[in-house]
Structures are given as C-alpha cells and as structure tokens.
C-alpha cells in the first residue's frame, strides 16, 4: 500500500475513460520505491510463464520481484525501452502513468522501468518519482480496471507493440479462460477493433492452448514464444476453419498440423501453408493418418515422459526425437508434393471449366439482336474457339 504521506500533488490532470465515461483525475508524484509491477501485464505474460516454470512463485520482497520483472521488460522490447528512457531523460516524464493505491501499476510499466534505471544511474533526484493518477481499487471492479488498461494501451497506435504470443495470452486470459471478464463484442470495442477480428484472434489463441496441451506443456506460454508459433498457428487457423474439412476429420487435421509444427524447421509458416490442400482432402488426410499412426502414438508418449518435461523446464522448448521428426517431415513432404502435382495435372481441366462458365454467360437473346458487323466478329471468335477445341480433342484422341 502506498504511503499517502509520501505522495505529492501536482498541477497536472489526466482524462481517463472509466465506468463508461470520461473523468478528469489529478496527477501526483509518487516515489518509485512505493510502486510494484503488475505481474498480469500482457506484454510480459510469456516471461512470467517462463519464470514460474522454474520457480514456484515470485519473491515476497516487492523490490526483489521488481528487479526480476524489470529484466522481463528490458528483454521483451529493449528498443522501445531505450527510446522511452532517452525521451524521459531529455524531456522528463510527459505522460502520467496510472497506479492503484496498493502500488500496482495499471499503465506505465515502461515509464516506470525507464525512471528506475535513470534513478540508479544517478541522473538526478527528479527521476526518483513517477507522475501518475492514483486510483483506489475498491472504487472499481477488476473488469473496470482491466477495461481502463485496454483503453490506455490501445488508445495510441504506437503503443500496440505486444509480442504476438503475449498478445494471444492476453486474449486467452480476457476472453477464453474460465474467469475471463469480456465478451468478444466488449473486447473489440475497448481495443478499437472489430468483433470478427477478435473472434479470429480467439480461435488462434485457442489453437495455442491446444498445441501446448498436445506437446504436454499446458499453459507454458514461453514455449510458444520460443518456438515463434504466431505465424504457424495463424496459418493453421485459416486452414482448419475451412468448410472443406468435415467435422469428423477436424481432430485428425489439427493433430497432423500440430505434429508438423513440432517437427518442421526453417520457415514453418510456409510449410504449414503448403499442407492446406492435403488436410482439406479427406482421402489424402486419411492416408497421412494411416502412415503416421504409429509415429503419432510415439510422439504422444514422448511428450508425456518426465525427462522430456524436465528438459523443457531447462531449455524452454520441446524437441521431437529424430526418428519421429524425420518420419513426420517425410510423410508431410511426400503428400504435399503429391497434391501439388495432382493440382498441376488438373490445371487444364480447371481452365476449361472456367471457359465453359464464360461461354454459358453469353446472352443468346443478345446475340440474335446483334448488328451484321457484330455477328461477323462473333462468328470469327466462335471459329477460333472451335479450332482450339478440335486441336485439344486431337491431343486426347477424343472423338
């Protein structure tokens, strides 16, 4: 809890949208030593996950915990922190933060970090304080505080600098988890997005949760960050939402994509994209599942071994045994290439289908009403089409 006796008034004010209305709040100066980072801040979600995978909890000492989280802020986006720090050193803090009376920062973690570093570097006593609006958490529900945080973090375009996986973690917490406070429509409104875009993000976030379960690392968000899963998962979402995949085939299609993501190296996003036509072909998907059935079982058992879980804690990633990895890549590549070849072989048929559609679009009643000159030109094109048809019939030995 902040010692109110250490808080100094300023002449500044700040507008905040809270409880669905804009209110003017006074800005005060608070000693940095009275504040603590918000451990639920979305921008460091995967770093918190990584820390807690090694430790049971954060230190009880607020200053010790602050030093740990400051490291996360530094690592998560060092360039943005550097810019903020340089700006504050040159022009002092221009924009007030928002903190709760218990000392937890709602908005302004990067400014807090910059000030802490400038203070430690002896840049001047003025950097020992942060300017902030001070809110009493008892006056607001947790949802109202979170709504305010979303408003502040998304109000300016340049502030939307989440790591893509940290962004998905926030989506999971705010919209999917059992105690999630928002509907998609509410969230879209608060972050100035569309409900359709938010629903799509929810699908990708759910795939992240499902993938981490698949590899035996539920809610270990740092592994998703380490494997740079945003691109592959977004590609997977586009593939799996297709109506070409029957409901009964969905889990098989998803598991094949997950096994591939876990096995592929290099440009994983492109390689997942290449599998689109394979998993959307029910017969080919069945063939892939049949060939990989034993391998997928082995992978599942491997993911759940204690030594694999222990290694994941140390390396923050999950590796597929070479034999299984090679088999998945081999089968996925074989069927991807087979599908590409099949599509290329059918390309002439698709072209003819399109040509027939265009001919069927010709208005025969309009043909009857054409002038003599237009009829002559029309007949010329018919003759040229007939010549091409006859030539192609000759190629296929058709009658």
């Amino acid at each position: 809890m902040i010692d109110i006796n250490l808080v100094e008034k300023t002449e500044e004010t700040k507008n905040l949208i809270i409880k669905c209305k804009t209110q003017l709040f006074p800005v005060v100066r608070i000693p940095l030593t009275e504040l603590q980072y918000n451990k639920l801040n979305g921008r460091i979600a995967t770093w918190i996950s990584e820390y807690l995978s090694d430790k049971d909890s954060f230190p009880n000492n607020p200053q010790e915990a602050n030093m740990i989280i400051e490291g996360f802020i530094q690592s998560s986006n060092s360039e943005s922190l550097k810019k903020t720090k340089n700006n504050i050193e040159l022009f002092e803090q221009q924009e007030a933060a928002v903190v709760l009376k218990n000392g937890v920062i709602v908005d302004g973690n990067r400014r807090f970090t910059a000030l802490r570093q400038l203070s430690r570097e002896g840049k001047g006593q003025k950097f020992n304080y942060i300017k902030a609006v001070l809110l009493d958490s008892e006056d607001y529900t947790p949802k109202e505080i979170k709504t305010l945080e979303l408003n502040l973090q998304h109000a300016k375009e340049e502030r939307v600098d989440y790591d893509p996986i940290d962004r998905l973690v926030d989506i999971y917490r705010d919209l999917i988890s059992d105690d999630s406070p928002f509907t998609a429509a509410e969230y879209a409104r608060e972050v100035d997005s569309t409900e359709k875009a938010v629903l799509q993000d929810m699908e990708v976030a759910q795939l992240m949760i499902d993938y981490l379960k698949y590899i035996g690392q539920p809610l270990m968000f740092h592994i998703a960050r380490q494997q740079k899963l945003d691109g592959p998962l977004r590609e997977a979402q586009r593939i799996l939402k297709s109506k070409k995949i029957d409901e009964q085939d969905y889990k098989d299609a998803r598991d094949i994509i997950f096994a591939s993501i876990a096995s592929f190296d290099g440009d994983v996003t492109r390689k997942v994209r290449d599998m689109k036509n394979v998993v959307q072909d029910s017969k080919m998907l069945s063939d892939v599942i049949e060939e990989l059935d034993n391998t997928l079982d082995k992978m599942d058992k491997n993911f759940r071994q204690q030594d694999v879980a222990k290694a994941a804690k140390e390396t923050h990633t999950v590796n597929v045994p070479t034999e299984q990895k090679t088999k998945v890549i081999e089968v996925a590549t074989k069927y991807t290439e087979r599908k590409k070849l099949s599509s290329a072989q059918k390309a002439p048929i698709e072209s003819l289908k399109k040509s027939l559609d265009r001919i069927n679009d010709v208005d025969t009643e309009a043909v009857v009403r054409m002038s003599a000159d237009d009829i002559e030109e029309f007949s010329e094109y018919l003759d040229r089409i007939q010549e091409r048809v006859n030539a192609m019939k000759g190629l296929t030995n058709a009658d």
Side-chain angles (χ1 to χ4, degrees):
M1 189 66 67
I2 292 175
D3 185 346
I4 298 300
N5 294 320
L6 299 178
V7 174
E8 301 175 7
K9 294 181 179 180
T10 74
E11 295 181 356
E12 298 178 34
T13 57
K14 182 181 178 75
N15 275 321
L16 298 178
I17 301 174
I18 193 164
K19 289 189 174 181
C20 299
K21 63 180 180 180
T22 301
Q23 300 181 52
L24 190 64
F25 291 87
V27 172
V28 297
R29 292 176 79 239
I30 307 169
L32 300 182
T33 52
E34 295 292 300
L35 303 178
Q36 54 186 306
Y37 288 104
N38 177 10
K39 297 184 184 70
L40 296 179
N41 180 270
R43 287 186 172 86
I44 56 171
T46 59
W47 300 88
I48 296 289
S49 165
E50 183 174 339
Y51 182 88
L52 293 178
S53 72
D54 296 325
K55 314 284 185 181
D56 292 332
S57 62
F58 271 86
N60 291 325
N61 183 298
Q63 297 309 316
E64 188 177 347
N66 276 352
M67 284 303 299
I68 293 169
I69 297 178
E70 180 181 320
F72 300 159
I73 300 287
Q74 177 80 45
S75 298
S76 65
N77 200 327
S78 58
E79 282 303 311
S80 291
L81 177 59
K82 183 179 179 180
K83 290 178 182 178
T84 300
K85 184 177 175 181
N86 289 341
N87 187 271
I88 289 178
E89 184 175 7
L90 286 172
F91 305 109
E92 300 187 13
Q93 183 190 348
Q94 297 297 305
E95 187 173 356
V98 178
V99 302
L100 302 178
K101 286 188 176 179
N102 61 8
V104 174
I105 297 172
V106 174
D107 176 67
N109 282 287
R110 193 181 298 136
R111 278 160 280 170
F112 179 47
T113 303
L115 287 164
R116 281 169 56 88
Q117 293 184 359
L118 290 168
S119 176
R120 284 201 306 270
E121 293 166 6
K123 299 295 184 178
Q125 290 190 354
K126 61 186 177 182
F127 298 120
N128 295 341
Y129 299 83
I130 191 170
K131 290 191 293 186
V133 170
L134 192 56
L135 299 178
D136 192 337
S137 57
E138 294 182 0
D139 293 339
Y140 308 99
T141 66
K143 182 176 180 179
E144 288 169 341
I145 294 295
K146 181 61 181 181
T147 299
L148 173 62
E149 181 183 341
L150 290 173
N151 290 160
L152 290 167
Q153 291 180 349
H154 294 268
K156 295 182 180 178
E157 185 178 350
E158 64 268 20
R159 287 193 169 193
V160 186
D161 53 3
Y162 279 63
D163 177 275
I165 296 298
D166 285 318
R167 170 79 172 144
L168 292 179
V169 176
D170 243 15
I171 292 287
Y172 165 72
R173 288 174 174 171
D174 292 339
L175 292 160
I176 300 175
S177 65
D178 291 340
D179 56 351
S180 57
F182 295 98
T183 66
E186 289 174 330
Y187 195 87
R189 183 174 63 250
E190 302 306 336
V191 301
D192 191 25
S193 184
T194 65
E195 186 173 355
K196 180 180 179 181
V198 170
L199 289 171
Q200 179 175 308
D201 283 342
M202 289 175 66
E203 291 175 1
V204 178
Q206 185 60 59
L207 279 178
M208 176 183 68
I209 299 301
D210 294 343
Y211 176 81
L212 292 173
K213 286 181 182 177
Y214 179 83
I215 63 172
Q217 300 294 317
L219 303 183
M220 295 292 101
F221 303 122
H222 58 287
I223 291 178
R225 185 196 73 225
Q226 184 82 357
Q227 293 188 359
K228 299 179 180 179
L229 289 183
D230 178 64
L233 289 175
R234 290 192 179 277
E235 202 62 51
Q237 183 266 344
R238 282 190 280 269
I239 294 171
L240 293 171
K241 72 181 297 183
S242 169
K243 294 180 180 179
K244 293 181 179 180
I245 297 179
D246 293 334
E247 186 176 345
Q248 64 267 25
D249 288 338
Y250 179 87
K251 185 177 183 302
D252 284 344
R254 189 201 66 178
D255 287 354
I256 288 298
I257 289 176
F258 282 176
S260 300
I261 290 174
S263 303
F264 285 154
D265 295 317
D267 189 350
V268 179
T269 300
R270 179 187 60 78
K271 293 175 182 178
V272 170
R273 185 183 307 127
D274 287 344
M275 295 185 64
K276 173 182 176 180
N277 293 326
V278 173
V279 300
Q280 290 181 355
D281 183 320
S282 184
K283 174 62 171 63
M284 192 167 277
L285 174 63
S286 177
D287 291 342
V288 172
I289 287 292
E290 184 176 351
E291 282 202 42
L292 287 178
D293 186 44
N294 188 44
T295 300
L296 294 177
D297 286 343
K298 288 181 180 179
M299 287 178 68
D300 184 65
K301 290 177 182 177
N302 172 72
F303 288 145
R304 278 145 189 79
Q305 289 179 3
Q306 288 187 353
D307 58 336
V308 173
K310 182 180 178 181
K313 280 196 170 188
E314 296 173 356
T315 63
H316 307 302
T317 190
V318 174
N319 295 314
V320 179
T322 302
E323 180 185 354
Q324 298 160 28
K325 178 176 180 176
T326 301
K327 184 65 175 179
V328 170
I329 294 173
E330 174 191 313
V331 173
T333 302
K334 179 176 72 174
Y335 280 91
T336 296
E337 293 303 318
R338 184 177 295 177
K339 191 65 178 179
K340 286 180 179 178
L341 179 60
S342 174
S343 297
Q345 290 171 338
K346 289 182 178 294
I349 297 175
E350 295 301 318
S351 294
L352 283 179
K353 283 182 180 178
K354 292 178 182 177
S355 297
L356 181 60
D357 288 339
R358 295 297 299 273
I359 289 175
N360 287 332
D361 286 340
V362 174
D363 186 347
T364 54
E365 292 185 7
V367 172
V368 174
R369 296 193 298 270
M370 286 193 302
S371 67
D373 289 341
D374 287 340
I375 289 176
E376 183 179 351
E377 183 179 1
F378 184 78
S379 298
E380 182 182 340
Y381 279 112
L382 282 178
D383 290 340
R384 290 166 64 180
I385 291 171
Q386 187 64 57
E387 287 175 6
R388 290 295 297 156
V389 170
N390 290 338
M392 284 187 280
K393 276 189 174 183
L395 293 173
T396 59
N397 296 316
D399 293 333

